[in-house]
Amino acid sequence: MALRSQDGGRNALRFEDDDLATHSSLEQEKVEESVEQLYSNFHRRSDGDADPVLHREKHLAYLKKGLRHLSDVYECLDASRPWLCYWIVHGLELLEEPMPEETASEIAQFLSACQHPNGGFGGGPGQLAHLAPTYAAVNALCILGTEEAYNVIDRPKLQRFLLSAKRPDGAWLMHEGGEEDVRGAYCAASAATLTNIITPEMFEGTPEWIVRCQTYEGGIAGVPEMEAHGGYTFCGYAALVMLGRERLIDTKSLLRWTVNRQMRLEGGFQGRTNKLVDGCYSFWQAGTLPLLHRVLMMEGDEALSKESWMFHQGALQEYVLICCQFISGGLIDKPGKARDFYHTCYCLSGLSIAQHFIGGKYNHNHVMGPARNELHATHPVYNISPEAVVQANSYFGVLPVPSPNTSS
């Protein structure tokens, strides 16, 4: 795959402020300068002949260390400990690093301690059940894929917790007495579909509520009447896909908004209009496009490619590989930022999406650089491996759906 950033005409891709400088435009120009410097330095060092390399071993070392030790910097994430498990375990999964049985058992036992007595998972042992760490815990347990991991999940109580978070209008509360937004619908739908606990009433009104969150721009906001955002857009649309109601939304408007979030010079994605590039949107935005591709393909859109997604896959890979790899392992938001497990997980997830085109019977890999750069494929709805989704569906699918009236 040819490097887009070798093109000498990159200046034509720079942001134009129309002679009206603002705080946002000045910040955009700073980011473009830092990205351009990295691209130029890379090509100068390689004499234009080398391809960017994924520093696999460094990233593995960073992730493995995070399973055993976290610095005091992570104290602020004490209420996000299942998330840390998921980010790390999924990163290892994408890098195709085998999980030792003992380590998998220890992770399962820790997540069991995070499960609330009344169902769902909290941000840590003894914490209030919350839809976000519930999603993270279920995903992490499904990646582990052992019987011990699956049996951690108390399905009847999880079902009861999800039903308690559902609002009459179809919206979802993140936790008891908490905020409602599109994340709740996605987290609930993901956990419910993976563990086979959906009831007919569970998502009644939810697709219609999500559609109310689509803005005039075409993206999806956290709640109706707010600004379209990449994370909310993915959550809302993926939830509609899981519920089989994706055709309710204005697909073409959503597609137009999403593809226009890929930055021209940087190659990565921004989260909102007039915002800066951020490595995490390599998944949140790029991950929406395979879902849109699938819907348009089912509708018989003959303009669709049978080899690539509807974004510049090479440009995104360049951004992640050249601009987002921290020198000692882990990945980052943008040049000059610190590494963390969140951005490591979602930069790698987006890189995987950009490498793998899986469209029905058509499968094509678009791997920039050496073959060793290739990551494991990730499922664009759940963001765990397709094999983990199939295995979870096979395990939980043969179990009866709990009855809400008899959940203990």
Side-chain angles (χ1 to χ4, degrees):
M1 178 180 286
L3 285 169
R4 181 194 66 116
S5 57
Q6 283 181 328
D7 185 355
R10 290 197 300 271
N11 281 335
L13 303 177
R14 288 182 177 272
F15 176 77
E16 291 285 347
D17 68 1
D18 297 323
D19 295 323
L20 180 62
T22 65
H23 176 75
S24 296
S25 69
L26 294 174
E27 288 299 308
Q28 174 62 28
E29 289 168 3
K30 287 180 184 177
V31 172
E32 288 183 349
E33 287 295 335
S34 65
V35 168
E36 173 65 20
Q37 189 66 50
L38 285 173
Y39 284 149
S40 297
N41 289 346
F42 174 80
H43 294 302
R44 185 168 60 251
R45 290 195 306 269
S46 64
D47 294 324
D49 294 327
D51 288 322
V53 173
L54 178 69
H55 303 310
R56 183 179 294 266
E57 298 305 323
K58 291 182 178 181
H59 302 323
L60 284 172
Y62 172 65
L63 291 166
K64 288 179 179 179
K65 182 179 179 181
L67 280 177
R68 298 293 179 185
H69 173 76
L70 295 173
S71 69
D72 55 8
V73 172
Y74 284 91
E75 186 176 1
C76 63
L77 293 179
D78 182 62
S80 300
R81 294 168 75 181
W83 277 111
L84 289 164
C85 290
Y86 164 62
W87 295 331
I88 293 172
V89 169
H90 183 47
L92 294 172
E93 177 187 40
L94 290 168
L95 292 164
E96 299 186 320
E97 180 69 7
M99 178 70 66
E101 289 183 14
E102 181 181 357
T103 303
S105 179
E106 290 173 343
I107 295 170
Q109 290 174 44
F110 172 73
L111 291 171
S112 178
C114 296
Q115 190 164 213
H116 192 275
N118 295 330
F121 292 80
Q127 296 187 27
L128 189 70
H130 190 292
L131 280 174
T134 295
Y135 161 82
V138 170
N139 265 13
L141 291 165
C142 288
I143 292 170
L144 297 178
T146 63
E147 188 165 6
E148 178 186 16
Y150 291 147
N151 287 337
V152 165
I153 304 169
D154 188 324
R155 296 171 61 248
K157 289 184 177 180
L158 173 59
Q159 183 192 66
R160 186 169 66 185
F161 166 63
L162 295 184
L163 289 170
S164 74
K166 170 76 181 309
R167 300 295 88 194
D169 64 351
W172 290 76
L173 295 178
M174 295 303 293
H175 61 88
E176 183 180 357
E179 74 277 20
E180 63 177 45
D181 62 53
V182 164
R183 292 175 303 154
Y186 171 69
C187 292
S190 179
T193 53
L194 283 173
T195 60
N196 187 33
I197 59 172
I198 288 185
T199 62
E201 71 273 18
M202 184 175 285
F203 291 97
E204 186 176 342
T206 296
E208 292 79 8
W209 184 83
I210 293 173
V211 170
R212 288 174 52 210
C213 296
Q214 187 173 30
T215 75
Y216 71 95
E217 288 187 280
I220 297 173
V223 294
E225 310 297 331
M226 296 297 285
E227 182 182 12
H229 180 283
Y232 292 132
T233 294
F234 172 83
C235 287
Y237 195 63
L240 289 175
V241 169
M242 284 185 276
L243 300 175
R245 303 295 299 280
E246 58 268 39
R247 288 180 175 80
L248 284 180
I249 207 158
D250 185 337
T251 303
K252 296 297 177 67
S253 178
L254 174 59
L255 174 62
R256 182 176 61 251
W257 182 85
T258 306
V259 297
N260 277 292
R261 301 285 70 75
Q262 187 169 26
M263 307 299 279
R264 297 200 306 165
L265 185 140
E266 301 92 307
F269 283 83
Q270 62 184 179
R272 291 178 283 163
T273 305
N274 290 329
K275 294 294 183 179
L276 304 176
V277 68
D278 186 331
C280 73
Y281 294 110
S282 301
F283 176 76
W284 295 123
Q285 299 283 27
T288 302
L289 290 163
L291 307 181
L292 284 162
H293 202 109
R294 168 184 168 272
V295 170
L296 293 172
M297 182 173 288
M298 292 173 64
E299 292 177 353
D301 191 327
E302 296 182 357
L304 281 176
S305 170
K306 295 181 175 62
E307 297 183 357
S308 59
W309 303 127
M310 293 177 285
F311 68 95
H312 199 310
Q313 292 167 242
L316 180 58
Q317 291 182 62
E318 281 183 27
Y319 179 70
V320 172
L321 293 171
I322 297 176
C323 301
C324 293
Q325 295 194 86
F326 198 74
I327 189 169
S328 55
L331 290 100
I332 62 176
D333 162 357
K334 61 177 67 66
K337 297 291 186 177
R339 65 181 178 175
D340 58 60
F341 296 109
Y342 169 83
H343 284 93
T344 299
C345 172
Y346 290 109
C347 283
L348 291 175
S349 299
L351 182 60
S352 175
I353 292 287
Q355 290 177 343
H356 299 278
F357 175 83
I358 305 173
K361 62 182 179 181
Y362 304 102
N363 296 315
H364 295 276
N365 289 348
H366 301 267
V367 179
M368 176 167 289
R372 187 163 165 73
N373 280 4
E374 184 175 354
L375 297 171
H376 199 87
T378 194
H379 195 293
V381 171
Y382 299 100
N383 200 22
I384 61 178
S385 72
E387 296 86 351
V389 175
V390 170
Q391 187 173 324
N393 287 339
S394 296
Y395 184 86
F396 294 113
V398 299
L399 301 177
V401 175
S403 170
N405 296 324
T406 60
S407 295
S408 59

